[in-house]
Amino acid sequence: MFRTAADLARLPASERIRYRLVNAGCRYHANDNIAEHIEPGELDELRAEVEAKMQEVLRSLVIDTESDHNTNDTARRVAKMFVNEVFKGRYVGMPSVTEFPNASRLNELMIVGPVKVRSACSHHLCPILGKVWIGVLPNEHSNLIGLSKYARICDWIMSRPQIQEEAVTMLANELQARVKPDGLAIVMEADHFCMHWRGVKDDESMMTNSVMRGSFLKDPNLRREFLSLLSKKI
């Protein structure tokens, strides 16, 4: 449905953003980045909208936020947390990453980690807290990025509601496209609070999964070297 600029201006920020996404044929699942479709100032509007709706959630939970000093500002805090912090990977663009040519033609295994990561389960919006290890086998055409940039990219990908299996694959896709190595390996180990806090309330279980690309997938010796070095870091 076509809307004029005046029509759009009268809509809540979430509806304007959704209108652009649908018109562009873009998916907007919980772990998708939609920054390209958000205009300046709309994140502030979105945060205010979430705050108002979170206030209604608290009201539906029969919490007297007016006289309860512990919760009278909770809706604002939660809205800020969702939009600007724990789900910010949906609403902001890719962090700036400086890339350098592989002038020395490095082609030896490099391991980065453990990188601490924080995410959220898209099923219950409960925290996922864990660590990521990244193995890179560059070639002469690879783009080298600074050590801190791996952490920044991890944070950007992980700061969204999602499941761990998809998060690791998305991280691998992003690093593969940027670094263009001969081989890429990622291992993630994480606690899922949807298991610790609710349901079975199992405090011991963790989830570990991996993605292997290129040389790590084809060369069992390289894969063993990466995993053996990793075992000394855990």
Side-chain angles (χ1 to χ4, degrees), residues 140-155:
E140 62 182 290
H141 304 295
S142 295
N143 297 319
L144 304 180
I145 63 176
L147 187 61
S148 67
K149 302 307 184 287
Y150 285 96
R152 290 183 187 277
I153 294 172
C154 283
D155 181 62

Side-chain angles (χ1 to χ4, degrees), residues 107-110 135-139 142 181-184 215-216 222:
N107 63 353
E108 300 295 334
L109 172 62
M110 176 181 71
V136 177
L137 187 70
N139 60 53
S142 295
D182 276 347
L184 177 68
S215 300
F216 286 96
L222 179 63

Side-chain angles (χ1 to χ4, degrees), residues 50-76:
V50 173
E51 178 182 345
K53 292 182 178 179
M54 182 53 61
Q55 186 64 42
E56 289 304 307
V57 170
L58 294 171
R59 182 178 177 82
S60 294
L61 290 171
V62 199
I63 296 174
D64 181 3
T65 59
E66 292 183 9
S67 62
D68 178 6
H69 64 279
N70 289 318
T71 59
N72 58 26
D73 203 29
T74 292
R76 182 192 63 80

Side-chain angles (χ1 to χ4, degrees), residues 105-116:
R105 300 194 175 189
L106 302 174
N107 63 353
E108 300 295 334
L109 172 62
M110 176 181 71
I111 299 176
V112 179
V115 177
K116 290 186 178 180

Side-chain angles (χ1 to χ4, degrees), residues 46-52 54 74-85:
L46 193 62
R47 189 172 61 241
E49 189 180 333
V50 173
E51 178 182 345
M54 182 53 61
T74 292
R76 182 192 63 80
R77 287 190 293 261
V78 171
K80 179 183 177 184
M81 177 184 72
F82 281 159
V83 176
N84 298 115
E85 297 171 348

Side-chain angles (χ1 to χ4, degrees), residues 109-118 129-137 147 150-151 153-155 158 164 167-173 175-176 183-191 206-213 216 223 225-234:
L109 172 62
M110 176 181 71
I111 299 176
V112 179
V115 177
K116 290 186 178 180
V117 292
R118 300 161 184 83
L129 305 178
K131 299 176 181 178
V132 166
W133 290 265
I134 302 166
V136 177
L137 187 70
L147 187 61
Y150 285 96
I153 294 172
C154 283
D155 181 62
M158 296 297 167
Q164 183 173 331
V168 172
T169 299
M170 289 174 67
L171 178 58
N173 291 343
L175 291 174
Q176 185 72 44
L184 177 68
I186 298 176
V187 171
M188 179 173 172
E189 178 186 76
D191 282 308
M206 300 183 76
M207 180 176 178
T208 303
N209 66 318
S210 66
V211 171
M212 302 285 169
R213 301 273 174 88
F216 286 96
R223 188 162 61 249
E225 181 184 0
F226 169 66
L227 294 173
S228 67
L229 291 171
L230 201 66
S231 66
K232 298 173 184 178
K233 297 176 180 292
I234 296 177

